[in-house]
Amino acid sequence: MKINLDEIFDYTSFNVDRDPHIKLDENICKSCDQRACTNCCPARCYTWDEENQKMTFVHDGCLECGTCYVVCQNDAFTRWRYPKGGFGVSFRMT
Amino acid sequence: MKTNFDAIVVGAGPAGSSAALTMARTGLDVALLERGAFPGEKNMFGGVLHRLTALEEFFPNFWEQAPLERHIVKKALSFVTEGACFNVNFDTEESDKPPYNGYTISRPKFDRWLAEEAVKAGATLLCRSTVDDVIKENGKIVGVTLLRDGGELRAPVVIAADGALSFTAKKAGLRRPKFDPSHQAVGIKALIDLPKEVIDDRFGLVRDQGASNEIVGCTAGVRGGSFLYTNYDSLSLGMVLHLSSLSKSGKTPYDLLNTFMEQPQIAKLLRGGRLLEYSAHLVPEGGYDMVPELAGDGIMLAGDAAALCIVTGLNLEGINLATQSGVLAGQAAIEAHQQRDFSKAVLSHYRQLLEESYVLKDLKLYRRTPKMLHNDRIYSQYPELICGMFDEIYRIDGQPKETMTKLMLRKVKETVGLKSMLTDVYGGWRAL
């Protein structure tokens, strides 16, 4: 048994809103020397592309825990809110 | 749709529903807002619900009324290394009879039940309602706006029970705009499917008995720990990691949990299990010093929004504090209605009620604990020391033994160091 985040949609339910509830100013991420979001996010929503010097954020599998909101030291968020009512992660059994 | 109420509660978790229930039972017209499609949909925790003394007045036979998984009779603390596990196990008949000391629960079931009890008492539950902002008039909070359609709800008093990040508290100016990562931990959890009979046999349980186990030493040096709890026919296995330590480590929560699941003594307990659900949530672990301003003009904070959480390593308390704070905030709102005064001066009676209850008394008592737990040695060197020592005590290898004292001193020197050990013992004694 293993947690494989490539298969997260197989075991955790989401009702994805097309309009993301979190938005980033990628220029701030470019100059960030920590990028703690990339390792701390339990859903691996943040990936840093070293070659292209680009931060990619995908909100689809976001567990809405708030870790990125707390660890980001450079206020890179132009928006950080919970999804609109009825959207986002849906814990059924936990 | 009706838009004026006597009170608005943001968040239908344990704190919010307790507040709504308390107010609705005295006849106040309460709106209980929940951003999920149903209460509990967004809520996640380790899995053990302590006895809720605050709700016993409402539910005298709580264990027969609430949807529970198992009642906890076995509590264990384990220190693990890559290949060994040292357990301290406490199993008592005293916890096998009502009122039970604690339970495992499933949040989608439990939170929904508690919110429905508030509805039965007369509260109006509005799901799919994410609060966008607070409405301020003359410096007082007089309502909230909703994200979906920009709708407004108004009430002379708002109770923010919207969890660890509480944007309601932020917008009302009650919490600092930025969190300190050393005050927050992230909890992740794997819910694992196993038949009831297998769980009973593996953990030595009968009927609806349950076991809870906190584990130290499984986090590759990152400050934090793991937990393993028995639900009726599933296990909750997870890990709580301090964010300041996790961010510096460069490690990921899921890799740490995957490695832990392969630790041989843990793997035996999980054998044959199937992953049902993966979830994550923040834990406000800063203790008393993190507690924000609890009341303002027209607003109070309850539960995680007020950072009411106690982590000592042995006890992890949250929902019991949340329900207690919700009931007390509800009582303060009722008094404010009687006086027709919702100013900070009147609502601050809520703080006084919390000070008089075990909530702030215990938080003050354990004020030094969060700092004591910010000691990296606890998470790697001590488990190595304990397991290493017992390995030598039990090992028969044809070599003459040394005295227990000598063995202990040698092991301490090899791992923690004598001076650090003395500092830690003193620190631990002061903090607990």
Side-chain angles (χ1 to χ4, degrees):
Chain A
M1 188 174 31
K2 205 175 167 181
I3 294 159
N4 179 359
L5 290 176
D6 294 332
E7 295 166 3
I8 189 165
F9 295 100
D10 293 348
Y11 35 75
T12 301
S13 307
F14 296 88
N15 181 15
V16 182
D17 188 357
R18 256 190 269 171
D19 180 25
H21 58 287
I22 298 172
K23 285 182 182 175
L24 280 176
D25 179 346
E26 287 167 22
N27 286 321
I28 296 178
C29 305
K30 209 175 270 183
S31 58
C32 179
D33 59 352
Q34 297 181 19
R35 298 190 196 100
C37 54
T38 56
N39 73 287
C40 290
C41 171
R44 207 181 54 208
C45 291
Y46 297 83
T47 40
W48 172 249
D49 180 346
E50 185 64 38
E51 200 179 322
N52 297 308
Q53 294 288 300
K54 191 174 160 43
M55 179 70 86
T56 309
F57 168 71
V58 182
H59 75 286
D60 296 21
C62 172
L63 297 165
E64 297 163 37
C65 68
T67 297
C68 55
Y69 179 77
V70 175
V71 298
C72 177
Q73 293 300 297
N74 294 314
D75 293 319
F77 303 108
T78 53
R79 172 192 282 179
W80 205 113
R81 63 188 194 196
Y82 288 118
K84 283 197 276 292
F87 285 102
V89 70
S90 175
F91 298 134
R92 304 297 171 98
M93 293 165 277
T94 289
Chain B
M1 195 183 90
K2 198 163 119 67
T3 55
N4 281 293
F5 294 88
D6 292 334
I8 294 169
V9 180
V10 185
S17 290
S18 300
L21 180 60
T22 305
M23 292 186 289
R25 280 171 65 113
T26 62
L28 288 188
D29 189 10
V30 181
L32 176 58
L33 309 183
E34 167 56 44
R35 69 185 183 90
F38 56 86
E41 185 189 38
K42 303 288 185 178
N43 298 357
M44 171 273 192
F45 81 141
V48 170
L49 177 79
H50 297 293
R51 181 180 165 188
L52 300 179
T53 49
L55 298 184
E56 285 175 2
E57 191 195 321
F58 303 138
F59 310 106
N61 297 317
F62 176 77
W63 52 93
E64 288 165 3
Q65 295 167 278
L68 306 163
E69 299 275 316
R70 290 169 182 257
H71 63 272
I72 306 293
V73 295
K74 275 189 180 190
K75 296 200 77 105
L77 177 67
S78 306
F79 296 89
V80 303
T81 62
E82 268 177 36
C85 182
F86 176 81
N87 294 308
V88 184
N89 220 317
F90 184 59
D91 190 340
T92 169
E93 290 280 296
E94 283 304 309
S95 294
D96 199 23
K97 56 190 178 206
Y100 297 109
N101 198 45
Y103 315 86
T104 44
I105 57 165
S106 155
R107 296 295 295 276
K109 285 185 209 151
F110 182 82
D111 290 31
R112 188 181 255 181
W113 167 77
L114 192 55
E116 276 165 10
E117 289 294 322
V119 170
K120 275 190 215 162
T124 306
L125 173 66
L126 299 168
C127 291
R128 297 187 169 89
S129 303
T130 307
V131 166
D132 188 30
D133 207 345
V134 294
I135 306 171
K136 264 189 200 174
E137 272 171 17
N138 305 319
K140 292 190 172 76
I141 309 291
V142 294
V144 296
T145 57
L146 300 179
L147 193 58
R148 177 162 260 182
D149 49 11
E152 282 188 8
L153 294 177
R154 284 176 178 258
V157 60
V158 172
I159 296 176
D162 51 342
L165 289 186
S166 187
F167 289 106
T168 309
K170 184 190 172 200
K171 283 170 174 159
L174 289 182
R175 78 149 166 89
R176 277 164 273 176
K178 193 93 192 94
F179 283 108
D180 179 347
S182 70
H183 280 171
Q184 297 270 10
V186 60
I188 60 166
K189 180 162 102 171
L191 191 74
I192 297 162
D193 186 38
L194 266 188
K196 180 195 188 294
E197 298 69 33
V198 174
I199 294 175
D200 286 348
D201 285 350
R202 235 172 246 187
F203 291 84
L205 304 166
V206 294
R207 293 176 273 110
D208 288 345
Q209 291 180 339
S212 86
N213 195 174
E214 323 301 337
I215 305 133
V216 186
C218 45
T219 51
V222 177
R223 292 197 305 266
S226 288
F227 55 85
L228 178 59
Y229 304 138
T230 57
N231 304 312
Y232 189 75
D233 53 6
S234 65
L235 299 176
S236 289
L237 176 84
M239 205 170 248
V240 178
L241 302 158
H242 288 198
L243 285 184
S244 52
S245 178
L246 179 67
S247 48
K248 275 190 212 113
S249 74
K251 296 184 166 72
T252 69
Y254 37 88
D255 286 339
L256 290 173
L257 190 60
N258 279 336
T259 306
F260 178 53
M261 288 199 278
E262 286 168 11
Q263 199 278 358
Q265 283 82 29
I266 296 299
K268 279 190 278 193
L269 297 174
L270 309 179
R271 190 164 38 93
R274 185 174 59 87
L275 184 60
L276 288 174
E277 198 166 50
Y278 173 64
S279 55
H281 208 279
L282 282 186
V283 191
E285 288 205 340
Y288 186 77
D289 294 331
M290 186 193 169
V291 175
E293 188 108 50
L294 293 168
D297 287 314
I299 187 164
M300 290 176 274
L301 310 183
D304 274 1
L308 303 176
C309 185
I310 296 173
V311 178
T312 63
L314 291 171
N315 275 332
L316 315 167
E317 297 180 42
I319 299 187
N320 53 331
L321 306 170
T323 51
Q324 183 71 65
S325 69
V327 168
L328 296 179
Q331 286 172 4
I334 294 164
E335 286 167 20
H337 265 281
Q338 285 161 351
Q339 299 179 31
R340 292 170 192 261
D341 183 349
F342 305 93
S343 64
K344 183 179 175 181
V346 168
L347 294 181
S348 291
H349 186 225
Y350 167 51
R351 169 143 200 140
Q352 197 186 325
L353 292 172
L354 280 173
E355 298 261 8
E356 287 162 8
S357 78
Y358 75 94
V359 176
L360 282 182
K361 282 194 176 134
D362 285 0
L363 270 156
K364 268 187 206 165
L365 179 70
Y366 292 118
R367 188 175 195 157
R368 293 196 182 94
T369 314
K371 214 173 161 192
M372 183 272 283
L373 293 173
H374 280 203
N375 173 349
D376 291 347
R377 288 188 287 275
I378 298 174
Y379 309 98
S380 52
Q381 291 164 346
Y382 281 106
E384 292 287 347
L385 167 65
I386 295 167
C387 290
M389 215 166 67
F390 278 89
D391 191 84
E392 289 205 24
I393 289 171
Y394 290 126
R395 190 156 300 285
I396 306 296
D397 56 1
Q399 296 300 312
K401 295 251 187 262
E402 43 185 352
T403 65
M404 207 72 109
T405 321
K406 260 193 185 161
L407 163 69
M408 236 169 92
L409 280 173
R410 178 166 60 78
K411 278 287 174 194
V412 169
K413 279 181 197 159
E414 277 173 24
T415 52
V416 185
L418 208 52
K419 211 176 135 192
S420 301
M421 173 107 176
L422 289 173
T423 315
D424 296 343
V425 168
Y426 178 69
W429 173 70
R430 264 172 54 99
L432 297 172

